[in-house]
Amino acid sequence: WQMVEKYLTQVDSLVRNLLSYSRQPEARMVSVDPAALLDEVASLYRTQAELHDVDLVVRHEPGTPLTLTLDRGGIHATLANLLANGIDACRFDPAVGKAHRVDARVGPGPDGGCAYEVVDNGTGIAPEVQDRVLTSSFTTKGLRGTGLGLLLARKSVEEHGGTISFSTRVGAGTTFRVTIPGQAPVERP
């Protein structure tokens, strides 16, 4: 039953991601504290990180705006995806004895906006797949992943007029950076 429950959870996640990616939901723009949002998402993943011996550290950089007008759900989902991926990169790292860590930071961004970074010291992303990470429904997780998380993250960030990028080294980890300009309007195609 545990295995069936696990697969049902994965199927549910896949269906929700497919629906979210294909729909054009109405953005719900609200005033959000970017640092508090990061804290909230990190609190959801703290237990998972601890279970896999990953140190999850959250930092607020000086100059982080106190509030921004954002689609809270979209940015929440983006941060959740980045943290989950960072923990998984550490969890499935074959390096023995490595002290795994995920650092999540928020700081000032362009035009009075904010910048989020999620840095892990896990497996890194192989050079031959790096160009597919943010552009297709690609996953390195096999059956454990849908390949839609980063596509949805990119979609949400771009709707805010922001950018998402990454740098990586195999065996050393990956850094994802999300920048969101201040008071950027969400535009729908």
Side-chain angles (χ1 to χ4, degrees):
W1 285 113
Q2 288 177 343
M3 188 169 64
V4 170
E5 183 180 11
K6 178 180 172 185
Y7 286 123
L8 285 175
T9 301
Q10 288 176 334
V11 168
D12 179 63
S13 176
L14 175 62
V15 169
R16 288 178 190 277
N17 282 337
L18 284 170
L19 289 172
S20 180
Y21 188 72
S22 64
R23 267 193 245 153
Q24 295 298 327
E26 188 93 10
R28 294 192 179 138
M29 302 300 284
V30 295
S31 183
V32 176
D33 176 343
L37 183 59
L38 179 60
D39 289 341
E40 177 184 322
V41 175
S43 72
L44 297 174
Y45 286 90
R46 195 157 307 283
T47 301
Q48 181 182 355
E50 289 171 1
L51 286 172
H52 298 292
D53 294 320
V54 176
D55 189 20
L56 177 57
V57 178
V58 177
R59 288 194 349 230
H60 306 162
E61 302 294 337
T64 301
L66 297 177
T67 61
L68 287 175
T69 301
L70 302 172
D71 176 6
R72 187 183 192 289
I75 300 304
H76 186 286
T78 295
L79 295 172
N81 182 268
L82 296 178
L83 285 174
N85 286 351
I87 292 167
D88 283 348
C90 292
R91 177 179 168 197
F92 298 111
D93 187 353
V96 177
K98 189 175 185 181
H100 286 105
R101 181 178 170 120
V102 174
D103 287 301
R105 298 187 285 258
V106 61
D111 303 320
C114 71
Y116 291 103
E117 279 189 350
V118 176
V119 182
D120 71 70
N121 68 343
T123 58
I125 302 169
E128 61 270 13
V129 298
Q130 290 177 14
D131 60 336
R132 296 167 55 194
V133 169
L134 291 169
T135 60
S136 66
S137 59
F138 172 77
T139 181
T140 60
K141 297 179 185 180
L143 295 176
R144 295 181 312 268
T146 64
L148 292 175
L150 288 174
L151 280 179
L152 292 170
R154 185 179 123 206
K155 179 181 173 188
S156 177
V157 170
E158 288 177 352
E159 288 171 345
H160 284 82
T163 61
I164 183 170
S165 60
F166 70 94
S167 59
T168 187
R169 277 191 9 220
V170 174
T174 303
T175 299
F176 274 90
R177 182 171 175 82
V178 171
T179 60
I180 301 170
Q183 308 308 317
V186 173
E187 295 180 19
R188 301 283 176 188

